[in-house]
């Protein structure tokens, strides 16, 4: 009996140690940094501004993106090679990895967190997986009757009501898949002739507007997800590469259009400007000249600042715009090739991937002071767990 | 040696069990339900829609509120008796509890999560604590030179830049404490003659506008936290109890004004209506008639629905307003005395406290179906961890 008590005591000590080592901790301040060339992730802590561990073996992570589980414990990473990897942020281990297609361009998680959707180029379509097991729930081929061929799927976004919206590049269509009644047989609404070659899309932070950018012509396609019966409308007729087909070094990312009140701030295509759009009328109401062709225009969570990075040859530069005055209040050159930026949940800090310097920098947003830097191998995307609780990210 | 190996093996088994039992889990889907009479909390899981455990010993929890740590692991609960309790949601235990004043009315957490501020009636003032240790960082007495007396502090809210804003009831002042440079000696900006008897306040979801409701006269006080030099302005001159001093059964809560685009939807005072305000001009632009005097008007996270509960004698009723059409689309009576409602992070569900029925109900917001109910002893406030990453909650 005495021995048993002693054993129990010793075990409790081991258990306590083990709990700490196994990471009894909150997950609201965790995140990942994609190391694209190495096929790995840095698991990071945004409170301590530090790296916790490296997670290896995620395949081709060029252009990789991630979403987070409802409990903010798991990251789902979409790789360019069609890999979908579920990572446990508490143990720093891969839980499951499936090669779900030949070539993928990103994904989304349903409003209720039960389903992961991946958008695929090869073969074109959307596959929807159970978030718990990564078992296939339903495969939605992007077959166009008009084309008699499959299309590449781009701009896959989640919205209110367990809805996924996505665009068909070759077919020029927008589809809305509603999983709320029967996830295995989603109700699909198709919108045709929405414009030539939609190449990316976004959902507004309130989950209402689905906006697809067009590669094949100027303008954007706008779908009101609250009123599907109104159909897709065209807006911003002079938004795009223009008649002269400006040289575009990198088509801007749309997923992160910055919204502040009723205004959206969007990267100009091929032009050195940020375009201001009134979201009530979907009309252009102004531009802000900037240092290069914008790639990401990201609003600090309070909407007061926009942080902008640029395509080649200005990809060494980051500019900060003050929203009320629409003036550039800061310009900096953190290093060659700034690839991505991510704000802490309430925006006091921003993390910046400086790819060629093998570094992630952390800045205080109110005064642009660099607080710290961390080594990372060719870092690209940075994703924090607060995304678990937002739409369209 | 063999014995040691055996011990290690046995301990590993215990450790593994212990890890699971001690809750290696994400914290993004946790929350608390206040059991006001019992002085306890129900620790809840919003994914499983279930109660995990009960946490006892929090003192007087009438009118209690809570904020969450940056990592979404800890809740800080402000009790009416001046108690400030730090609760570990992973272990279900109280970490620390201090009686920080004689009588408290709520609190806030700083943008960076380092500081907890409590607003006090007795003696009037704000105390700011270290979020880690609950040690006092600074005490800000609400002493008014004009009154030569201390005021009760109400409407304490966090905002961008490690700022806390709050109102002095008797003095009719709004103070802004900026902790960004030196938390032990915050820079305090005082605004006087802001109106008679501010009784509650809110910060808009973007952290920009601080709005105080007035008990002693009609109208509200509006402070632009991005432009303190512009001072406090008065708005909504006919918002309040009116000349005839309508009987008001319960002054509405302001902290949760619903914002959708540029419109705010606010509870009418003493009137059976929700008031629509244009936040660009701070003018009333319409009203929506409802079943009683609203207490909480809460926007579903996507801003499409407003859920409204009411003061006596209509506190058995909940109404749902469709924002685009401004029509009431659902009315229900979950039971006598609906005290509070809380949405899941992306709004697919809403949890409702039905105090006298000793029950918390969970509804699907898209079709108003009741999904489940849980027993709870006289439940009042419900708070989920997604609040960790928002302003002014």
């Amino acid at each position: 009996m005495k021995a048993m008590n002693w054993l129990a005591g010793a075990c409790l000590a081991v258990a306590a140690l083990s709990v700490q080592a196994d990471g009894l901790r909150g997950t609201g301040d965790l995140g990942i940094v994609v190391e694209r060339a190495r096929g790995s992730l840095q698991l990071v802590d945004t409170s301590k501004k530090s790296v916790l561990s490296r997670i290896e073996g995620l395949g081709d992570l060029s252009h990789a993106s991630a979403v987070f589980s409802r409990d903010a414990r798991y990251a789902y990473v979409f790789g360019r090679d069609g890999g979908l990897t579920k990572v446990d942020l508490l143990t720093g281990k891969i839980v499951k990895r499936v090669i779900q297609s030949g070539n993928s361009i990103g994904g989304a998680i349903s409003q209720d967190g039960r389903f992961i959707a991946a958008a695929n180029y090869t073969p074109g379509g959307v596959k929807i997986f159970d978030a718990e097991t990564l078992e296939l729930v339903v495969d939605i081929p992007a077959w166009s009757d008009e084309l008699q061929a499959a299309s590449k799927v781009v701009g896959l976004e989640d919205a209110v009501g367990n809805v996924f919206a996505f665009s068909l590049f070759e077919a020029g269509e927008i589809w809305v898949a509603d999983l709320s009644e029967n996830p295995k047989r989603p109700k699909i609404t198709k919108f045709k002739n929405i414009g030539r070659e939609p190449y990316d899309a976004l959902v507004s932070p309130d989950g209402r507007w689905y906006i697809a950018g067009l590669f094949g012509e100027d303008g954007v396609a706008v779908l009101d997800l609250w009123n599907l019966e109104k159909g897709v409308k065209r807006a911003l007729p002079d938004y795009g590469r223009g008649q002269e087909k400006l040289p575009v070094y990198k088509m801007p990312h749309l997923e992160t259009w910055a919204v502040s009140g009723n205004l959206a701030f969007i990267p100009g295509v091929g032009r050195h400007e940020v375009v201001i759009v009134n979201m009530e009328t979907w009309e252009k109401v102004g531009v802000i000249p900037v240092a290069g062709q914008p790639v990401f225009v990201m609003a600090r969570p309070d909407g007061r600042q926009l942080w902008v990075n640029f395509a080649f040859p200005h990809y060494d530069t980051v500019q900060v715009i003050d929203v009320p005055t629409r003036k550039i209040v800061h310009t900096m050159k953190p290093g060659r090739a700034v690839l991505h930026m991510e704000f802490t949940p309430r925006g006091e800090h921003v993390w910046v991937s400086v790819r060629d310097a093998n570094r992630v920098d952390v800045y205080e947003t109110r005064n642009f002071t660099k607080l710290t830097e961390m080594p990372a191998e060719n870092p690209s995307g940075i994703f924090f767990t607060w995304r678990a609780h937002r739409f369209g990210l």
Side-chain angles (χ1 to χ4, degrees), chain A:
Chain A
M1 199 60 200
K2 209 170 180 182
M4 283 303 283
N5 280 344
W6 169 82
L7 171 62
C11 286
L12 276 178
V14 173
L17 190 72
S18 166
V19 167
Q20 208 163 14
D22 281 353
L24 187 66
R25 57 161 299 150
T27 53
D29 58 353
L30 294 177
I32 55 173
V33 176
V34 173
E35 296 181 308
R36 51 194 281 163
R38 190 187 174 106
S40 55
L41 306 175
Q42 298 262 28
L43 175 59
V44 298
D45 175 331
T46 70
S47 295
K48 297 202 168 67
K49 301 183 281 295
S50 64
V51 174
L52 297 173
S53 67
R54 176 175 272 145
I55 303 163
E56 308 263 12
L58 282 92
D60 180 358
L61 291 183
S62 56
H63 212 280
S65 63
V67 297
F68 294 93
S69 62
R70 200 177 180 291
D71 61 0
R73 175 173 179 173
Y74 300 100
Y76 300 89
V77 181
F78 306 94
R80 177 51 71 96
D81 58 1
L84 167 59
T85 311
K86 181 176 179 178
V87 175
D88 185 342
L89 304 179
L90 284 177
T91 62
K93 303 257 187 285
I94 292 174
V95 177
K96 190 149 188 189
R97 176 168 161 77
V98 296
I99 301 295
Q100 55 88 29
S101 80
N103 191 326
S104 170
I105 188 67
I109 184 164
S110 64
Q111 180 186 24
D112 65 3
R114 288 169 57 208
F115 304 106
I116 307 293
N120 295 319
Y121 274 9
T122 320
V126 170
K127 284 187 179 169
I128 294 172
F129 299 89
D130 182 298
E132 183 78 29
T133 61
L134 293 196
E135 271 161 31
L136 187 68
V137 175
V138 62
D139 186 354
I140 307 173
W143 182 265
S144 158
D145 292 335
E146 278 75 6
L147 285 184
Q148 283 292 307
S151 279
K152 291 196 275 289
V153 170
V154 298
L156 172 62
E157 305 290 335
D158 57 278
V160 182
N162 266 19
V163 158
F164 293 112
F166 50 93
S167 296
L168 278 59
F169 181 81
E170 289 84 358
E173 299 184 6
I174 293 174
W175 291 12
V176 176
D178 182 342
L179 278 69
S180 57
E181 295 297 334
N182 184 349
K184 286 181 183 297
R185 300 189 64 173
K187 187 180 147 200
I188 295 174
T189 310
K190 301 178 183 180
F191 300 91
K192 305 195 173 185
N193 302 311
I194 63 96
R196 281 205 299 278
E197 298 178 335
Y199 76 96
D200 196 6
L202 83 145
V203 157
S204 57
D206 60 5
R208 174 170 187 175
W209 300 101
Y210 180 84
I211 316 296
L214 301 174
F215 189 77
E217 60 184 301
D218 286 357
V220 299
V222 178
L223 176 59
D224 180 353
L225 296 169
W226 292 4
N227 294 289
L228 289 183
E229 71 287 355
K230 289 192 180 165
V232 172
K233 293 192 175 141
R234 299 292 288 281
L236 304 176
D238 61 349
Y239 181 73
R241 291 185 296 164
Q243 291 304 315
E244 321 101 70
K245 297 281 181 229
L246 291 167
V248 176
Y249 293 104
K250 183 174 168 60
M251 289 300 279
H253 278 272
L254 298 186
E255 208 172 67
T256 53
W257 281 17
V259 171
S260 182
N262 276 343
L263 298 178
F265 297 84
I266 68 178
V269 179
R271 292 179 176 85
H272 293 200
E273 62 188 32
V274 170
V275 178
I276 309 172
V277 178
N278 180 329
M279 289 178 68
E280 289 203 331
T281 59
W282 288 102
E283 279 172 1
K284 174 173 159 178
V285 292
V287 298
I288 303 167
V290 289
Q293 297 183 5
V295 176
F296 285 108
V297 176
M298 305 188 78
R300 199 172 68 173
D302 63 333
R304 184 171 187 177
Q305 289 181 346
L306 306 174
W307 287 62
V308 187
N309 74 336
F310 303 97
F312 174 87
H314 301 102
Y315 63 175
D316 58 346
T317 302
V318 170
Q319 290 194 308
V320 183
I321 296 166
D322 176 60
V323 170
T325 61
R326 298 179 187 180
K327 297 239 182 306
I328 291 168
V329 290
H330 191 65
T331 298
M332 63 182 186
K333 293 178 184 285
R336 204 160 72 95
V338 169
L339 280 223
H340 198 224
M341 300 169 289
E342 177 86 334
F343 292 97
T344 50
R346 296 208 278 170
E348 71 277 22
H349 304 152
V350 64
W351 290 41
V352 178
S353 275
V354 196
R355 188 191 60 195
D356 298 1
N358 293 308
R359 226 175 57 222
V360 171
D361 293 349
V362 181
Y363 293 88
E364 192 153 356
T365 59
R366 75 187 168 93
N367 56 15
F368 317 114
T369 308
K370 193 199 275 191
L371 298 175
T372 189
E373 51 182 61
M374 280 161 267
E377 215 174 293
N378 297 126
S380 54
I382 308 176
F383 305 94
F384 295 158
T385 54
W386 58 262
R387 289 174 174 252
H389 300 147
R390 313 289 166 112
F391 292 107
L393 291 176

